[in-house]
Amino acid sequence: MSHRLSALVARLGERNPLPDGTLTVGAGLVVNGIMSYAFLGIAGRTLGTEAFEPLSVWWALIYLIGPGFFLPLEQEVSRALANRWARGLGVGTLVRQAGQLGAGLTAVLVVATLVSAPVLLDHLFDDQVLIVIGLVAAIVGYAAVHLARGTLAGLGRFRGYATYFVVENTLRVAACVALWLLGADTAGPYALAAGLAPGLALIVALRGEHDLASPGPEADWSELRAALGSLLAASILTAFLLNAGVLAVELLSDDTESGEASVFLAGLAVSRVPVFLFQAVQAALLPKLSALAGAGRFQEFRDRLWRLLFAVGGIGVLGVVGAGLVGPVLIHVLFGEDYALDRIDLVLLAASSAAFMLAVALGQALIALEGQSRVALGWLVGVVAFFAVTALGEDLFFRVEAGLAAGSAVAAVVIGLLARHRLHGKLRAHPHTLTAIDGAEVRE
């Protein structure tokens, strides 16, 4: 009976379309998501649409700059460590090299932020210096966060990964409540508190984690840097397409449309719940696919990818239906009556989120197949589509929403075609699926 039960559990695990670690990270992301909405909701209600607008723009910028510039580092560290670990090699030299790359990129971004501070203060941040300081703090914090998350994911340590998500926005909510009680009525203090949260949360997440940089053979810089440029381009384009909506609304609005960026951010927050949770799949997906590709198990690679795409597509459809049915109610509950959006606005935003998730999943597969430059090309075509569609419209919200939906859909199609071509080439080159390396099964 015990043997049959074990066999049943094993078969169910093989049929699970989600990579190992998804549920652990997903649990952390659920808490993170709830706290994220709590922070935005409390700040939005406290400040009102006009005073909340600089914080809305800041929120979009940190999620453009943070993941945009540092997610490639996380992905390459995760991929390289998983590949090395599957071959029984230590990872210490790779982690140290990644740290040097991250420090250099952080310095460039901090200097660029300080140089552009007068423009940011004048046009986006309502002359609030604390918002700029919060932006710098967030850049430094996210640099360390993405390096650590890549290391944890590559080694399969998803508990620490999940802990970070639990703590990050919990700290933001605690600070937000304190600022509300103290009567803070400008965006600056909220931005500063939110910018400090990533670094503080990482300190908590890494407590108890040991041997993250195990001794191993020297690593050639090409193990990380060979595709980092392409990944960086792809990541910046991806983050732009994900976060450009709020910035576009802010820049396209006229003097009679003050506070519209705040309303648009509220709609994005509600419609992108599936994207937020998809980070759990993304964190566990790349190491798994990289290990399968490194072992030459391309048939299993294809099967797992198809199951994953069906699952992601189903989640996207549910997101669109949910946005249409309960989206307006959620916005009213979370942000208040001043942040109202029509159902069609939320449906379009949810549709763009569904297409975005498919594009990201296909992009992860292409990265695992060492097609990083092709991923960048796919996102570039998507960004061009966003600009083209947005430029054609007149209604402020609809033109941006249609641009986001078109850009994400075009990116998904292009990346999907490129991934299909790359995978077929690998299958032709490896007609016999390998299931082990040196007599040992690849680590699941």
Side-chain angles (χ1 to χ4, degrees), residues 11-39:
R11 286 197 300 272
L12 291 174
E14 291 174 358
R15 294 176 183 176
N16 181 11
L18 302 178
D20 296 331
T22 297
L23 296 180
T24 301
V25 178
L29 280 168
V30 168
V31 178
N32 186 275
I34 293 172
M35 293 300 174
S36 177
Y37 293 127
F39 172 80

Side-chain angles (χ1 to χ4, degrees), residues 69-158:
F69 284 89
F70 295 113
L71 185 59
L73 187 66
E74 176 180 337
Q75 291 175 328
E76 277 299 273
V77 170
S78 175
R79 179 198 59 79
L81 263 61
N83 191 290
R84 273 201 163 208
W85 197 253
R87 293 182 285 132
L89 302 177
V91 299
T93 53
L94 274 176
V95 173
R96 286 190 289 273
Q97 287 178 356
Q100 294 173 27
L101 289 174
L105 183 56
T106 303
V108 171
L109 289 172
V110 169
V111 171
T113 301
L114 296 177
V115 170
S116 61
V119 177
L120 294 173
L121 288 169
D122 187 37
H123 294 284
L124 298 177
F125 293 158
D126 198 25
D127 292 322
Q128 299 183 54
V129 176
L130 283 181
I131 301 182
V132 176
I133 297 174
L135 180 60
V136 171
I139 291 172
V140 175
Y142 279 126
V145 163
H146 283 287
L147 173 61
R149 280 175 17 186
T151 303
L152 292 169
L155 298 177
R157 300 188 185 183
F158 293 107

Side-chain angles (χ1 to χ4, degrees), residues 233-260:
S235 183
I236 293 173
L237 292 167
T238 305
F240 176 84
L241 198 55
L242 184 64
N243 297 284
V246 174
L247 300 176
V249 169
E250 173 69 10
L251 295 174
L252 292 173
S253 60
D254 57 33
D255 294 338
T256 65
E257 296 170 316
S258 179
E260 294 294 81

